[in-house]
Structures are given as C-alpha cells and as structure tokens.
Amino acid sequence: MSTATVAKPQAQQPGKGSRRFSLPVLLLIIAGVLILTSVVRLITGADGITSTGQMSTALRLAVPIGLAGLGGLWSERAGVVNIGLEGMMILGTWFGAWAGYQWGPWTGVAFGIIGGCLGGVLHAIATVTFNVNHIVSGVAINILALGTTRYLSKFTFENAPQGSSKQSPPIDSLGTFDIPGLSSWLTTLNGKHWFLISDIAGLLGGLVTGLSPLTVVAVALVPATWWVLWRTAFGLRLRSCGENPVAAESLGVNVYKYKYIAVIISGGFAGLGGAFLSIVASNVYLDGQTAGRGYIGLAAMIFGNWMPGGLALGAGLFGYTDSLNLRGGGTNVHALILLLAILLVFAVAYLAWKKRVVPAVITAVVSALMFVWYLATDEVPQQFVSATPYVVTLLVLSLSAQHLRMPKADGMPYRRGQGK
C-alpha cells in the first residue's frame, strides 16, 4: 500500500484549526505593517527601530530562538511535546564551548549538536520507550542539564586559563562577512531616513551585514526542514506519527523509530542553537546563557502554527524585541508602544466588522491605554525594556492560541500495537 495514504489529517471545521492566509494577503499585511512602522518612525524620530544595526542584531538574536523552535517542530510533528528544549540548548552551550576553546569553533559547533542530541535521546527514552509524561520528562531534562553543566564546569573551566566555574575560556570566532556592495549600499540608503524606502533598506541590510557562517546555515535549515517534512516520504511518515500513530503503524510505519529520530534531531537543533550562543553570540560560555530562549523558541513554534515559515516569523519577532535591550531600548520601545496602539485600532475595526462586540471593546480599551502611556511618557523604564521579549511572547501566544492547530496526536501516549 502506498505511503501517500498514511494518516491523512481530517478536514478542519469552520472556525477551528489553523490560520490560512494566501500569499497576496500575507504580503499585504507585511506591507501594511512596514508602512505603519515607517509612519511611527517619522512621528517619533526613533530612527533606530528600522536601522541596519538593529536588524542585524535582531537576526543574530533570532537564530538561537529559531533553531530551538525548529527542534520543537521536528519533535511535535512526530507527536512528542518537547519542553526540554531549554535543557538541550544548555547542553549545547556547554559542550560547544568545552570543545570550541580546545579544538576550534567548528569542532565546538559539532559537539554542541552532539550535546543537544544527548538530551534528545534521554527525552525519547523517557517518553517513547517508557511512556513518561512528556511535560514531566522535559522539565526533568531542563533541571538535569542545568545541574550537570554547572557540575562539569567546576572540573573543566575553573582550572583553565581565563575560565571559572561559571565561564569558559574565550573561543575563537567563526568570523563575519558582508555581501559585497549590497551591504554598504543598503546601509547608506537606510541612513537617508526616507519614508518606507529607508525602512526597507534597513530590514534588508540587516540580512546581509555582519553575517556569521553559522547564521547562513541556520537560515538555510528553515526551508530544508520544510522540504524534508512536507516533500519527502520520510517526512510524510514522520508527520503521520504525530497525526495518527495507530493508522501509521497499520500501514507498516515503525512509529517508535520515527519518534526517536524526530526527538534526537530536535535535540540536535536545540544544541546547535546553544552552540550559536556560546560560540557566535558571545565567544564564551556563561552560566545561565540561554536565558529562557528554549521556551521562547517553543513559543515561536506555536505562534508559527507548527510550520517552518510561521516559526521563522515568530523567531524574527522575538529576536527583534530581544535586540531592543542592546540598541536604544527605552526610546525604541516607547516608539513601538505607539505602533502597537495603532495596530490595536485596526484590530478593533476588524473585530467590530466580525460583530465580536466584547473582544472589540476590550481591545479598544487596551489601545486607549497604550495611547495614554505613549503621550504621558518620553521613554519607558529599562526594566520594562529587559522584560519586553517575555511580555511579547505572552501577548502573542494569548492572542493567537485560539486560531492554532497542533498535530492531533501531539503529546498523547502511544504503545506499539494499541490499535489491535
């Protein structure tokens, strides 16, 4: 029997399931947001919100979040919830730094992936073989990874030159590069501060300026994941395990094998994200370096509706808000408050058009409060700037949760032969 018949998802009922935007509609939404952002930049004078430097920093910070999200995507598409992404990232940061300062950064990248895969193996053994609750297993891995790396640091980094129990010795850089000609031209165009044109130039300039080779690899993994999972027989079988494992098994798919493969790959992606943090982002391992990015990556995956493209957009959003900590945070966040207030006005109009009165009223009140906040202040406190990525994560999840469709068997216990 052809594998093309494996576990076809049932049709979604109206009003339920995933958000479906056609490409023209999605492009119009993106264009509208860019125009509004340019208007807000002109009103507030906060040129930094679309500067090339801001976008370049946002891309660098989005990469580990996106890699963690890709890890979650692989795991959950096979039906295994992976809360342990944070712990697997921690293992990636430590193993990457440990090997990187001794044998070079690329060796560190390889060991970071291996470290994350070890966490994935543990999670797969617990959830697939022993049927442990996925959330419990993930939390246990996060705790275990944190304790293990702190313990190992005392025996490895503490006695090394320029190292300590909470920090590794410096790691050689992988280096950065610009796209010749294009990078300098876009940076110059961005510096003109023209309406919309300079904002687009800043966005594109950030994608071609100060790139690490590992950044290019990470970005390429997004379309590669889409192709493998949605355009190959291997991907079809793997996804069938997350939709209907009983039906997949009845057609000869080794569900356990595919779940193991998916969770181990998931750990490898998270470990690569951790290695990126220690080798590229800071050239050193630091205790607590992940700072919850594994959880934010999981949020990006959920925001993206378990799809690589949406995940990339979510990672970009969270990376951008995270970058506000490093570049003109108070002024830029203050300008973004105005942008958010305006976007909420459009949300009110949409909800009113849909005759959803109560949500429209609540959104209108929130929008009014945002306008008052903007007009009553000149800059937001630095404490709020630091919390912005986490606040945005909560807001995005709360606003989008009712329009999502997770794999049908995601997180559900499964035993071989249970359909007989």
Side-chain angles (χ1 to χ4, degrees):
M1 185 176 294
S2 171
T3 55
T5 61
V6 173
K8 292 182 180 179
Q10 298 177 0
Q12 294 299 303
Q13 298 176 6
K16 297 182 180 180
S18 61
R19 294 162 292 175
R20 298 185 183 276
F21 292 122
S22 64
L23 182 59
V25 172
L26 184 60
L27 291 176
L28 282 174
I29 292 173
I30 294 174
V33 172
L34 282 173
I35 292 171
L36 280 177
T37 302
S38 188
V39 170
V40 167
R41 178 182 62 81
L42 292 176
I43 293 174
T44 62
D47 294 325
I49 61 175
T50 57
S51 69
T52 299
Q54 183 79 60
M55 297 304 173
S56 179
T57 303
L59 176 62
R60 188 172 71 251
L61 293 175
V63 166
I65 295 173
L67 287 171
L70 280 177
L73 175 68
W74 274 82
S75 180
E76 300 208 8
R77 277 293 175 181
V80 180
V81 174
N82 194 354
I83 298 294
L85 290 169
E86 178 75 6
M88 296 170 196
M89 284 192 79
I90 292 173
L91 292 172
T93 60
W94 190 90
F95 276 94
W98 174 72
Y101 89 88
Q102 299 180 87
W103 304 306
W106 284 113
T107 304
V109 170
F111 271 78
I113 295 172
I114 292 171
C117 286
L118 290 176
V121 169
L122 289 176
H123 191 48
I125 291 172
T127 57
V128 179
T129 301
F130 293 103
N131 211 22
V132 174
N133 181 278
H134 299 189
I135 305 299
V136 172
S137 174
V139 172
I141 287 174
N142 291 338
I143 296 171
L144 180 63
L146 183 61
T148 300
T149 53
R150 286 181 176 176
Y151 177 78
L152 292 174
S153 294
K154 294 182 179 180
F155 296 96
T156 53
F157 300 148
E158 197 169 49
N159 299 321
Q162 304 182 56
S164 69
S165 62
K166 295 188 176 183
Q167 178 179 319
S168 73
I171 307 165
D172 292 338
S173 173
L174 289 172
T176 59
F177 65 93
D178 301 338
I179 304 299
L182 184 60
S183 174
S184 58
W185 177 67
L186 289 172
T187 301
T188 301
L189 193 59
N190 178 247
K192 301 292 186 181
H193 305 309
W194 294 335
F195 175 75
L196 190 59
I197 296 175
S198 293
D199 300 292
I200 295 174
L203 174 62
L204 297 177
L207 302 179
V208 298
T209 303
L211 295 174
S212 164
L214 200 55
T215 300
V216 178
V217 171
V219 172
L221 286 172
V222 176
T225 290
W226 173 83
W227 184 81
V228 171
L229 291 182
W230 275 269
R231 287 295 181 268
T232 67
F234 168 81
L236 175 62
R237 295 187 187 103
L238 187 146
R239 288 186 293 114
S240 73
C241 296
E243 294 290 344
N244 193 333
V246 174
E249 183 186 8
S250 71
L251 294 173
V253 175
N254 188 334
V255 176
Y256 279 17
K257 182 182 78 172
Y258 280 93
K259 284 180 179 287
Y260 260 89
I261 291 172
V263 177
I264 292 171
I265 291 175
S266 173
F269 275 119
L272 179 59
F276 185 95
L277 285 172
S278 58
I279 296 173
V280 176
S282 57
N283 296 112
V284 68
Y285 163 83
L286 296 169
D287 186 38
Q289 193 167 32
T290 57
R293 286 181 176 86
Y295 299 113
I296 297 178
L298 194 64
M301 178 206 67
I302 296 171
F303 167 79
N305 208 13
W306 288 266
M307 294 292 290
L311 182 156
L313 289 175
L317 172 64
F318 298 137
Y320 179 80
T321 55
D322 199 10
S323 70
L324 296 173
N325 283 317
L326 305 178
R327 304 182 64 91
T331 302
N332 290 344
V333 173
H334 186 251
L336 292 177
I337 290 173
L338 177 60
L339 175 62
L340 179 59
I342 296 173
L343 289 174
L344 288 176
V345 171
F346 285 95
V348 171
Y350 175 78
L351 291 170
W353 177 60
K354 288 289 187 178
K355 298 181 180 180
R356 299 173 61 184
V357 179
V358 174
V361 171
I362 294 174
T363 305
V365 171
V366 173
S367 177
L369 291 174
M370 299 294 284
F371 276 115
V372 170
W373 187 5
Y374 172 78
L375 294 172
T377 59
D378 295 324
E379 191 173 292
V380 299
Q382 184 60 38
Q383 294 86 342
F384 183 81
V385 175
S386 301
T388 298
Y390 310 101
V391 173
V392 169
T393 301
L394 292 173
L395 286 175
V396 166
L397 288 180
S398 62
L399 291 173
S400 63
Q402 59 184 327
H403 302 292
L404 302 175
R405 180 201 176 275
M406 65 192 298
K408 287 186 176 63
D410 193 17
M412 295 176 61
Y414 167 78
R415 305 307 296 169
R416 182 179 286 132
Q418 73 179 37
K420 296 180 180 178

